[in-house]
Every structure is written in C-alpha cells, then in structure tokens.
Amino acid sequence: MLYFLQEKLIFMPTTLAHDYEYTFSKPFQEFNLFAEDGAQLNGLHFKAERPKGVILYFHGNAGDLSRWGEIASFFVDKQYDVIVMDYRKYGKSTGKLSEKVLYTDAQLFYDYSLQHYEEHEITVYGRSLGTGIATQIASVNKPNKLILETPYYSLVSLAKNRFSFLPIESLLKYKIPSHKFIQQVACAIVIFHGTDDRIVPYSSGKRLYESIPHSKKQMITINGGAHNNLIQFDAYLQNSTKVLE
C-alpha cells in the first residue's frame, strides 16, 4: 500500500481551472514554462518597487499558487522580487510527476530567473517539501544564498521515522536526499526550524545542518514553533529580516 499510495502521501495538490485569475495585493505577472515532455508549468513573478534581489521560492506539498502567492507577499514587503512555481499536478501545472522532473522543472525556473537577474542577486528559498528541491538546485548552480524552512535530512529518513517497520529504501520512489545535495552547495545556508514540528522533526533539520561541510551556515531555532506557523514567531520575523538585509 505504501508503494502504490506514496505519491498521495507525499503530494497533496489542489488544482485550478485553466482560466482562473489570480488576485494579490502585490504587483505580479503570471507566466508558463514548458518542459521537454510538453508539461506546462505555471508560475508567478512578483515585483517590489526597489528590489534588493529575487527570491526563487519552492513551496510545500499542499495547496497551489492561489495560496502560496499570498505567502510570497511577505518577501515583497522586504523589498524582494519573488518567483514561485507550482509543481506538476498543482494549480494549473500539468504533467506526470517523478523525482527527476521535480529537479529539471525547478531548473527551468532558475534559468528563467537568470534571464531577469544576475546570479548573485538570486536567493533560493525552500519550505518543507520544497527544501529538498531548493537544495538540489543550489547544489548545481551558484545562487547568493540558500534558505530552508523546516527542512528534512532526506525523504527516506522521514519515511523511516514514520514507517520504521517497513523496508523503506526499496519501497520509496521519492528519496530526495537533501543531505547529499547540500555537500555541493557553496553559498551561505540558513535553516529555520521549530522545536515542536510534528511533520518534519526538529532533529531532522538539525541533522541536515550538521552535515553542511562549510562554515557559512546558520541554524535559527524557533522555540515552540510547529511546521506551518513559524511566521507567527518574533524569532522568525526578526531573523528573516536580518538574513534578507
């Protein structure tokens, strides 16, 4: 059951009609990129008045851009442009999912960012599921910074924690080994994680932090923070402002 249902356990997309019209409080442009297999990948490009740079944002496993676009506004208020995509099967995006296409699709959006910004202006930001994708992208490119919110050591380690009685290594099609990707990330890395996270345990993020081979790293612990509420804590608000100065 785990083998056949794993996609439904990992990914929780909501879909949008092709003609759905986004409405946000910040200026934005909707755009689509197309993968080699013909999949259409929907994205939003938010614009700040005097941007310090751009944040390429990889979101969590639930919802679609109608929700994540609102969250992007937080960074526009910090004077950053934001580019955020919907994964395949999310929102208006189409195509068949696999671990490989998560990375190749993400690279399309990194390349889109490079068409509009210098690479030293790009901050890659991953949240929850998106932290593994963000780490992989940072490992094969040279962004200015990598920021991870509630990251995991690997999807395999998360699954082992939940299904310790099963042969996870052989069953899981989506492994997303963040701990391996992070060995090749040369830029500064910042991790935010809450101590009361019941989805991705704090210990998983701590273990990932400890695996980073260089000293340009910072782990910001949010005492009492859970998986989806770090933005409600002063420690996150104050430190995210410092990190994005």
Side-chain angles (χ1 to χ4, degrees), residues 10-227:
I10 298 170
F11 304 100
M12 299 178 182
T14 51
T15 59
L16 297 171
H18 179 71
D19 59 355
Y20 178 87
E21 294 187 6
Y22 296 107
T23 57
F24 302 106
S25 60
K26 307 296 182 183
F28 72 96
Q29 294 176 339
E30 179 184 358
F31 66 99
N32 293 298
L33 300 180
F34 293 88
E36 288 187 359
D37 64 357
Q40 175 179 290
L41 307 168
N42 193 227
L44 298 172
H45 190 166
F46 289 84
K47 302 290 185 69
E49 286 189 14
R50 294 179 294 277
K52 301 174 183 176
V54 63
I55 291 175
L56 178 58
Y57 189 98
F58 296 102
H59 67 63
N61 74 329
D64 56 59
L65 288 183
S66 63
R67 170 197 174 194
W68 294 104
E70 291 291 348
I71 293 172
S73 299
F74 172 80
F75 300 103
V76 178
D77 284 336
K78 296 185 180 298
Q79 292 304 119
Y80 276 84
D81 290 352
V82 180
I83 296 168
V84 55
M85 67 174 290
D86 254 342
Y87 313 126
R88 297 179 183 217
K89 297 187 178 182
Y90 286 73
K92 302 182 186 182
S93 293
T94 65
K96 185 177 180 181
L97 266 171
S98 71
E99 182 172 348
K100 180 180 178 180
V101 300
L102 284 172
Y103 306 143
T104 55
D105 291 351
Q107 185 63 47
L108 284 176
F109 280 80
Y110 194 91
D111 293 342
Y112 170 89
S113 303
L114 287 174
Q115 294 172 15
H116 297 83
Y117 306 90
E118 297 296 327
E119 194 163 25
H120 67 83
E121 296 178 303
I122 300 174
T123 293
V124 177
Y125 193 113
R127 177 168 170 177
S128 190
L129 173 69
T131 60
I133 302 166
T135 303
Q136 193 277 335
I137 285 299
S139 75
V140 295
N141 294 282
K142 296 180 180 179
N144 178 61
K145 190 173 295 181
L146 173 65
I147 303 176
L148 304 175
E149 182 180 339
T150 64
Y152 44 85
Y153 186 75
S154 69
L155 274 194
V156 171
S157 67
L158 275 188
K160 283 182 176 179
N161 184 62
R162 186 167 299 185
F163 305 103
S164 58
F165 55 92
L166 293 174
I168 293 298
E169 291 277 4
S170 58
L171 289 174
L172 204 63
K173 292 186 289 184
Y174 293 86
K175 302 185 186 297
I176 312 189
S178 299
H179 65 292
K180 292 183 179 179
F181 299 144
I182 214 162
Q183 305 306 308
Q184 305 303 320
V185 177
C187 66
I189 303 171
V190 179
I191 291 177
F192 291 92
H193 215 126
T195 57
D196 291 357
D197 193 327
R198 295 185 179 182
I199 306 298
V200 180
Y202 176 79
S203 59
S204 189
K206 183 70 170 176
R207 187 181 179 197
L208 180 66
Y209 172 77
E210 291 172 347
S211 75
I212 300 171
H214 59 70
S215 60
K216 296 181 294 183
K217 61 182 182 178
Q218 182 181 11
M219 182 159 187
I220 299 167
T221 298
I222 311 299
N223 290 315
H227 192 67

